[in-house]
Amino acid sequence: AARAWAPWSTAANQGLADDALASTTPKHAIGEAVSTLRLSPINAVAIRTAAMASALGGSTAAGEQLMGIAVSLGWRDPVTQLWAIGASQQTGEPDKAVQRAQALFQQNVFIPSSLELLLRDAPNGPTATSLVQALASRPEWRPQFVKAAAQLPPNYGGNVSLLAFRLD
């Protein structure tokens, strides 16, 4: 209805793309994402939606390439940042993973899966070490991070405690 009323609305088109992705119809999601990109060629969320739809449709390489573009444009998008955290860890770039997470934390977004990715190798792994360095500088998001991390499933409790001990 929003697109019928305002076909120029990037948000309306983007919403349709996300809805199509959520209903797991990749071809339709890509079409809606392309409609959004016609209106706003650097719309990070539309690029992310096209990337995820491409991956769901079987084109993993195209999906990863598009996600790389989305990451460079969409530091405010939680889904894109979450993907970037995981990708940075897979490529052995723990500092970059923590930087991507900080982009979320600075927006007061503490998605449990982002915390789990950062705490997976705690207390002494490379990502945990980079995280400890970031936390040691006392960023304004630190108290919220600790509170959110304390609410993770019990299997992460020990990692959080050991991480806190390293901050001492």
Side-chain angles (χ1 to χ4, degrees):
R3 183 165 65 185
W5 180 71
W8 62 87
S9 170
T10 303
N13 283 276
Q14 181 179 300
L16 288 171
D18 284 343
D19 286 350
L21 182 63
S23 65
T24 61
T25 52
K27 287 182 182 179
H28 185 63
I30 291 172
E32 295 296 349
V34 168
S35 293
T36 305
L37 292 168
R38 284 190 190 116
L39 296 170
S40 178
I42 59 170
N43 184 295
V45 176
I47 294 169
R48 181 254 299 155
T49 301
M52 294 176 84
S54 293
L56 281 174
S59 183
T60 308
E64 287 186 22
Q65 186 176 21
L66 286 169
M67 279 305 286
I69 295 168
V71 166
S72 68
L73 296 171
W75 70 270
R76 291 185 181 267
D77 178 46
V79 175
T80 302
Q81 285 305 93
L82 189 59
W83 181 88
I85 293 166
S88 296
Q89 285 186 318
Q90 287 180 352
T91 58
E93 300 172 285
D95 293 336
K96 191 180 270 188
V98 172
Q99 288 172 351
R100 299 296 187 189
Q102 286 184 66
L104 292 175
F105 303 158
Q106 290 169 357
Q107 298 174 72
N108 204 27
V109 175
F110 296 90
I111 302 168
S113 36
S114 69
L115 304 174
E116 290 170 4
L117 283 169
L118 295 176
L119 294 170
R120 195 170 279 164
D121 69 355
N124 297 315
T127 303
T129 299
S130 183
L131 179 60
V132 166
Q133 290 172 349
L135 290 167
S137 69
R138 297 188 180 272
E140 64 182 48
W141 50 263
R142 183 171 130 160
Q144 293 90 350
F145 172 85
V146 173
K147 183 178 178 181
Q151 296 173 1
L152 288 174
N155 56 318
Y156 286 95
N159 290 354
V160 174
S161 298
L162 292 170
L163 193 73
F165 180 74
R166 286 191 61 199
L167 281 171
D168 186 20

